[in-house]
Amino acid sequence: MTNSKLRAILYVTAAAAVLTGCGADDVASPGEGNVVIITPPSAPPPPPAPTPTPTPTSPTTGPAASCPSGTTSIGLVGPNDQARGCQLPNQISGTYNVQNLAGVVYAFSGRVEVGRDVGGDGAVSGGAAATLNIEAGVTLFAQSQTSFIVVNRGSRMNAVGEATKPIIFTSQANVEGTATDRDYGQWGGILLLGRGPISNCLGTGATGGSASCQQLAEGAGPNDYYGGNQSTDNSGTIQYIQIRYTGRAASPNNELQGLTLAGVGSGTILDYIQSHNSGDDGIEIFGGTANLRHLILTGADDDSYDTDLGFTGTTQFVIGVQNPGFGDRMWEIDSEDGAEDATPRQDTTLANFTFIQQGRETSSAITARGGPDITLLNGVVKGPNTCLDIDSAQTVQATGPDENGPPRFRSVVFDCDGGAFNGDSDTFEADSFSTAAGTNNNADFTTSLQSVFINGANENGVTAVANIQSFSPFLQQVDYIGAVKDANDTWYRSWSCNASYVGFNSPFTCANSPLSDR
């Protein structure tokens, strides 16, 4: 799809009305004027779903002669027809293995569902757990804007790539080599729906964090519930993956992101993940207790990172870079309107992050509102607007039950052309962002970043947080602020993809067909 079509005037069709999502405008936080309302076509009938097995007739070079069992051939794909497209079933049951086979690329159309929802307590009638395993080096592409993958409560997706063989989820246009760095919203994205605790229960009578406290996922379907009481719930392992050209709207304020984590528990492994050119948020988290490391968030058209509804997890090592002229906030921390004191209260820690804001909006790089508890450690923020906006008295209220007090900043530096703080009538930002001795915070910093996001002398002159695990045992002790210490720190290389506006010294280029780069 061309970029001009993606920026068309929003409209809502009757078919789109059956899709539901979470309520408040400030939680959904769509990219203004940059989402497309899609009328879903009739879903194709699901093909049989046995576990695929290797096809012995596949050649060692060029497209495979046929598809593995359990998939359906859609013909040859790629700029030079160099691979055979093999379509996955729409319903994944049991254990389903997607193998890295020579000359094969996997396609999916419409809604691909892993398992059937088992509920917050595992007692939903008709629920059935399933496991989707994807091998390192596999490429999967969506055949339409209405295509997406949803992993239901109780099921798992193990997409385990390797540093030199990432798993790539992308669009058909990208596989065919026609996508550009100005495109986005070419398919839905990936949703992991877990049984971790959330606030803001759907309906009345449920208590936040209980097995009966559930909510509907944004942008998916009318029965896509998440939430429960299992804080260590396991939705699988996601490592060394790229998610390209996602983010479409089912209706206003009801969007799919690059990666949606909804009620995902701490038993889930989330490490080395790039979300590139999402039409909405790069990653959005709704409740749960997931912990994440090594994120690259490039080109999100709304927020690069967005956390909501009682999320109580920790994230470390994040590179966030906006596509010039696209995007809103780097991080939005929020809750639903009127539910600022809902429990469990959002209590999230972000450490070793470098945010480069250069989008079209005038929002602050970081916005916190709705009563969350937040801790920011070892951070670098650079942008054309203001760096920090803290709203609502609940966000800075004193320590108490389920309340850690005002936001905490340690070894965080701001270099924003509009000033450190947003300058509204409240004083929450200055009250929270202390520059007192020992905090090592600097609200008037001059960055010396190299190659967009790599620390220079000024960044490495800032004292990093000592004993960082006192804030969260998940955190790794480091002696630097920001996401990348220096040119010898290369965790972002080899598995990510380069864009015209930021390079990672990777063999993959985001706008290129993955079939050409492999």
Side-chain angles (χ1 to χ4, degrees), residues 290-516:
N291 299 308
L292 304 91
R293 284 197 187 103
H294 300 111
L295 307 181
I296 298 177
L297 309 175
T298 47
D301 195 46
D302 190 18
D303 304 319
S304 296
Y305 204 40
D306 194 343
T307 55
D308 309 295
L309 304 194
F311 172 52
T312 57
T314 298
T315 307
Q316 189 175 23
F317 308 117
V318 181
I319 300 170
V321 182
Q322 288 182 335
N323 195 339
F326 293 79
D328 193 1
R329 300 172 180 87
M330 302 306 299
W331 185 22
E332 182 177 20
I333 312 107
D334 207 352
S335 66
E336 278 196 343
D337 288 337
E340 290 84 358
D341 290 317
T343 57
R345 186 184 303 280
Q346 182 172 176
D347 184 0
T348 182
T349 297
L350 177 64
N352 290 97
F353 57 95
T354 300
F355 287 156
I356 309 299
Q357 185 185 36
Q358 49 193 6
R360 69 181 184 280
E361 302 291 350
T362 59
S363 303
S364 296
I366 298 172
T367 296
R369 60 187 173 211
D373 287 325
I374 58 173
T375 301
L376 293 90
L377 310 169
N378 292 342
V380 179
V381 181
K382 180 176 175 58
N385 307 319
T386 54
C387 279
L388 179 65
D389 181 14
I390 298 177
D391 293 324
S392 78
Q394 290 92 338
T395 307
V396 296
Q397 61 191 323
T399 302
D402 197 43
E403 172 56 59
N404 291 337
R408 298 181 293 182
F409 299 84
R410 301 290 186 274
S411 300
V412 175
V413 299
F414 289 159
D415 183 4
C416 291
D417 297 343
F421 310 131
N422 76 330
D424 58 15
S425 59
D426 61 52
T427 60
F428 298 148
E429 296 86 12
D431 289 348
S432 299
F433 190 88
S434 171
T435 56
T439 63
N440 299 311
N441 297 326
N442 190 335
D444 189 23
F445 188 76
T446 299
T447 54
S448 60
L449 296 166
Q450 308 296 308
S451 301
V452 181
F453 58 87
I454 299 173
N455 283 0
N458 291 356
E459 288 76 29
N460 286 329
V462 178
T463 301
V465 175
N467 192 21
I468 200 169
Q469 289 192 330
S470 65
F471 293 93
S472 168
F474 177 76
L475 296 171
Q476 296 178 352
Q477 185 65 54
V478 294
D479 61 356
Y480 59 92
I481 69 169
V484 178
K485 180 178 181 178
D486 54 32
N488 296 315
D489 183 4
T490 59
W491 65 261
Y492 54 87
R493 292 186 184 178
S494 73
W495 61 274
S496 58
C497 64
N498 307 309
S500 59
Y501 51 90
V502 59
F504 299 104
N505 198 19
S506 168
F508 299 94
T509 297
C510 303
N512 287 357
S513 170
L515 304 184
S516 301

Side-chain angles (χ1 to χ4, degrees), residues 58-393:
S58 297
T60 56
T61 60
S66 60
C67 286
S69 63
T71 65
T72 303
S73 176
I74 60 170
L76 303 186
V77 297
N80 299 302
D81 290 343
Q82 65 261 55
R84 180 167 299 281
C86 299
Q87 189 178 81
L88 300 177
N90 290 92
Q91 180 64 53
I92 303 296
S93 303
T95 298
Y96 190 96
N97 300 314
V98 179
Q99 296 175 306
N100 184 9
L101 303 176
V104 169
V105 61
Y106 294 91
F108 55 95
S109 179
R111 171 192 175 95
V112 173
E113 188 170 7
V114 180
R116 298 289 189 188
D117 180 28
V118 304
D121 56 3
V124 168
S125 176
T131 299
L132 172 62
N133 297 318
I134 304 173
E135 289 186 352
V138 165
T139 295
L140 306 95
F141 71 90
Q143 294 176 264
S144 68
Q145 284 185 307
T146 56
S147 300
F148 64 97
I149 298 171
V150 56
V151 180
N152 283 302
R153 287 187 292 188
S155 294
R156 298 178 182 180
M157 181 170 75
N158 298 313
V160 185
E162 298 173 5
T164 57
K165 293 197 299 182
I167 294 168
I168 300 175
F169 297 87
T170 192
S171 65
Q172 183 161 359
N174 188 214
V175 163
E176 297 296 345
T178 61
T180 75
D181 274 337
R182 306 300 280 179
D183 290 326
Y184 53 83
Q186 295 180 338
W187 63 289
I190 300 171
L191 298 91
L192 299 186
L193 309 182
R195 295 172 287 179
I198 66 170
S199 61
N200 308 82
C201 313
L202 186 67
T204 59
T207 300
S210 68
S212 59
C213 182
Q214 61 182 11
Q215 188 56 265
L216 278 169
E218 273 195 8
N223 297 305
D224 291 326
Y225 293 102
Y226 64 90
N229 64 351
Q230 300 185 32
S231 62
T232 60
D233 193 36
N234 183 352
S235 294
T237 298
I238 312 293
Q239 288 180 312
Y240 293 110
I241 72 167
Q242 301 170 20
I243 307 172
R244 306 181 186 178
Y245 298 109
T246 59
R248 58 93 177 171
S251 60
N253 304 320
N254 185 21
E255 302 87 19
L256 288 170
Q257 334 296 327
L259 175 63
T260 299
L261 306 177
V264 172
S266 62
T268 309
I269 297 174
L270 300 154
D271 202 0
Y272 298 101
I273 298 169
Q274 180 179 14
S275 174
H276 175 72
N277 278 29
S278 168
D280 197 61
D281 299 334
I283 296 178
E284 185 162 13
I285 305 178
F286 297 90
T289 56
N291 299 308
L292 304 91
R293 284 197 187 103
H294 300 111
L295 307 181
I296 298 177
L297 309 175
T298 47
D301 195 46
D302 190 18
D303 304 319
S304 296
Y305 204 40
D306 194 343
T307 55
D308 309 295
L309 304 194
F311 172 52
T312 57
T314 298
T315 307
Q316 189 175 23
F317 308 117
V318 181
I319 300 170
V321 182
Q322 288 182 335
N323 195 339
F326 293 79
D328 193 1
R329 300 172 180 87
M330 302 306 299
W331 185 22
E332 182 177 20
I333 312 107
D334 207 352
S335 66
E336 278 196 343
D337 288 337
E340 290 84 358
D341 290 317
T343 57
R345 186 184 303 280
Q346 182 172 176
D347 184 0
T348 182
T349 297
L350 177 64
N352 290 97
F353 57 95
T354 300
F355 287 156
I356 309 299
Q357 185 185 36
Q358 49 193 6
R360 69 181 184 280
E361 302 291 350
T362 59
S363 303
S364 296
I366 298 172
T367 296
R369 60 187 173 211
D373 287 325
I374 58 173
T375 301
L376 293 90
L377 310 169
N378 292 342
V380 179
V381 181
K382 180 176 175 58
N385 307 319
T386 54
C387 279
L388 179 65
D389 181 14
I390 298 177
D391 293 324
S392 78

